[in-house]
Amino acid sequence: MAQGDGVSGRRGAAREIVVAGGGLPGLALALALRQALGEGVRVTVCDPAFGRKEPLRDLRAYAVAAAARRMLERLGIWDAVAAGAQPIREMVITDSRLADPVRPTFLTFEGEVAEGEPFAHMIEGGGLVAALREAAAAAGVVLEGSPVLAATPETDRIVARLPDGRQIRADLVVAADGARSRLREAAGIGWVGWSYPQSGIVATVAHERDHEGRAIEHFLPSGPFAVLPLPPGGSLGHRSSIVWTERQAEVPALLGGGPEEALMEVERRFGLGLGRIALESPLRAYPLSFGIARRFGAKRLLLLGDAAHVIHPIAGQGLNLGLRSAAALAEALADTMRLGLDPGGPEALETYERSRRFDTLAMGAATDGLNRLFSNDALPVRLARDFGLGLVDRLPGLKRMFIREAAGLRGRQPRLMRGEAL
């Protein structure tokens, strides 16, 4: 970055793109653009996390669908994280009340979309973020340890302002700065959404018995309780990640006691199928919401990840949706620049908006509908949904359709998610 007057501009004919936010979608976009266009594009990712001496550990675990895995493989990331990835070989769905002595299984999915290819892997976030950062830096992406405070569009450029007064004059700014995006609000882009009366609680649980790659989704009246397999380790030899949806009003009491009380509440929901359990990390809660931007861009500004859309975690598709958007945006920008067009012009925005709007709305509606359906204890609703689950379980063709949907392989996918080069 040029110093002097504090302004950086073009280097020769190279285009300049600034990504505000160093999460997984932002880093994936930056890496994809550098790999596709090389020195033809200069990409700077701005995030205060890059400036910390001891980066914050990402303790979350993500379900990476088959299409997202193909993208990571194409980007050269998969080999770096594969040893810490746990294939999901089977998905089991139950529906019961918390006090029920038996949790009947209504639906099971085999975990492969093709021979030897699981529909998803569980990967812990810390290793995935580290691998993407390292690959992005090696590809020539500039990792700037400051946030973008403001992005001011001009006729043929946009000026990204940093906290210390420096400015980056770019062709395009990509706002990947989270659900409460400062840049989205400053651009006047509307947001449609609502908060759920629920919180998500996450933790890593150790257990005695091998999960054998089985993921379990317990549907309870307060919301789903997911047990997601992780690679071996922990104090009892085996580990799983839990994603626990609970009524918001109940969370303070559930988390307000000591470790023993927390473990007891987890045990009530986790069950005894994997033997004795222990908490490997504290329970952490966060509010749940749905939201989508009214449009995915403004003048020389495009939205990515949570800045564009937030969905309920019931289907574990939040990260996959963000990576799919990153793949689509990388494709739109690379194709635009190869034609000699301006990446901050209307062509790239229109292509990106067209490719992502329907898919994002459909996924948001599906997760919202599933949450409302399964977080309902009314007897007629319970009978109807359990009948529906049982019906799907007896129809192999319909099950294959659902598993391919969960794997991100239905419909037209961006090239990266098909495992193809940009």
Side-chain angles (χ1 to χ4, degrees):
M1 184 180 299
Q3 302 298 320
D5 61 358
V7 177
S8 71
R10 296 179 188 269
R11 289 187 172 182
R15 293 290 189 174
E16 183 107 13
I17 293 176
V18 171
V19 180
L24 293 168
L27 286 169
L29 171 68
L31 176 59
L33 289 174
R34 282 292 295 185
Q35 289 184 349
L37 301 171
E39 296 302 317
V41 62
R42 175 179 167 85
V43 185
T44 302
V45 182
C46 298
D47 194 306
F50 300 150
R52 298 189 181 104
K53 292 181 180 179
E54 295 184 5
L56 293 176
R57 292 178 59 204
D58 188 345
L59 300 176
R60 293 168 294 181
Y62 299 99
V64 176
R69 182 199 58 78
R70 294 177 184 182
M71 176 182 178
L72 295 175
E73 193 169 44
R74 170 55 64 178
L75 294 177
I77 298 298
W78 186 250
D79 286 346
V81 300
Q86 169 63 52
I88 298 180
R89 305 189 184 283
E90 184 182 17
M91 183 77 184
V92 175
I93 295 176
T94 76
D95 187 9
S96 64
R97 297 182 176 90
L98 187 57
D100 289 351
V102 177
R103 293 176 177 171
T105 296
F106 287 95
L107 181 60
T108 61
F109 291 106
E110 292 183 357
E112 290 191 348
V113 292
E115 187 174 353
E117 184 178 19
F119 84 92
H121 286 78
M122 288 300 299
I123 301 182
E124 291 173 283
L128 187 54
V129 170
L132 272 169
R133 280 192 195 177
E134 183 177 343
V141 175
V142 177
L143 302 181
E144 168 61 52
S146 302
V148 175
L149 293 185
T152 306
E154 299 176 346
T155 301
D156 62 347
R157 307 289 272 168
I158 185 168
V159 179
R161 182 167 60 83
L162 307 185
D164 60 6
R166 285 178 297 155
Q167 296 177 342
I168 308 174
R169 292 176 60 82
D171 296 280
L172 173 71
V173 169
V174 177
D177 52 343
R180 297 182 179 181
S181 170
R182 175 192 289 120
L183 300 182
R184 183 190 69 224
E185 292 181 3
I189 299 174
W191 183 258
V192 178
W194 51 83
S195 296
Y196 293 108
Q198 298 169 313
S199 290
I201 303 173
V202 296
T204 299
V205 175
H207 44 85
E208 289 182 304
R209 297 175 190 154
D210 188 357
H211 48 55
E212 299 179 340
R214 183 181 298 109
I216 303 174
E217 187 97 47
H218 295 304
F219 284 117
L220 300 168
S222 61
F225 183 93
V227 179
L228 305 168
L230 293 176
S235 59
L236 298 175
H238 305 282
R239 299 179 306 143
S240 292
S241 173
I242 61 168
V243 182
W244 167 10
T245 300
E246 186 56 71
R247 297 184 185 96
Q248 210 165 55
E250 303 294 331
V251 170
L254 290 170
L255 272 60
E260 292 184 1
E261 289 83 354
L263 178 60
M264 183 179 67
E265 291 295 344
V266 171
E267 283 179 330
R268 293 180 67 201
R269 295 157 177 82
F270 197 94
L272 304 174
L274 297 178
R276 185 164 57 94
I277 70 169
L279 286 175
E280 292 288 295
S281 67
L283 299 178
R284 292 179 296 121
Y286 57 96
L288 299 180
S289 63
F290 168 85
I292 185 169
R294 289 190 177 275
R295 48 198 171 97
F296 288 172
K299 186 176 181 181
R300 298 197 173 275
L301 179 80
L302 293 176
L303 306 181
L304 179 64
D306 287 355
H309 43 68
V310 176
I311 64 173
H312 195 282
I314 189 169
Q317 290 296 316
L319 173 63
N320 296 297
L321 191 63
L323 289 178
R324 196 149 62 242
S325 293
L329 181 52
E331 185 172 313
L333 293 175
D335 289 349
T336 296
M337 285 184 272
R338 285 188 179 121
L339 292 172
L341 300 175
D342 181 356
E347 295 85 1
L349 170 59
E350 290 169 6
T351 300
Y352 176 53
E353 181 96 29
R354 188 168 57 248
S355 68
R356 297 305 305 138
R357 172 62 62 175
F358 177 78
D359 181 49
T360 302
L361 282 170
M363 182 60 72
T367 55
D368 180 71
L370 284 171
N371 181 55
R372 295 178 189 276
L373 175 64
F374 285 96
S375 300
N376 189 323
D377 200 34
L379 182 59
V381 176
R382 286 175 57 86
L383 293 174
R385 73 189 180 216
D386 291 347
F387 174 78
L389 289 172
L391 184 62
V392 172
D393 199 46
R394 293 190 293 271
L395 296 173
L398 193 56
K399 287 175 72 171
R400 283 194 297 271
M401 183 191 76
F402 279 123
I403 205 72
R404 289 188 64 81
E405 183 73 42
L409 299 177
R410 278 176 49 80
R412 184 189 180 281
Q413 295 299 316
R415 292 197 292 270
L416 283 173
M417 296 209 125
R418 301 197 299 266
E420 300 171 7
L422 281 183

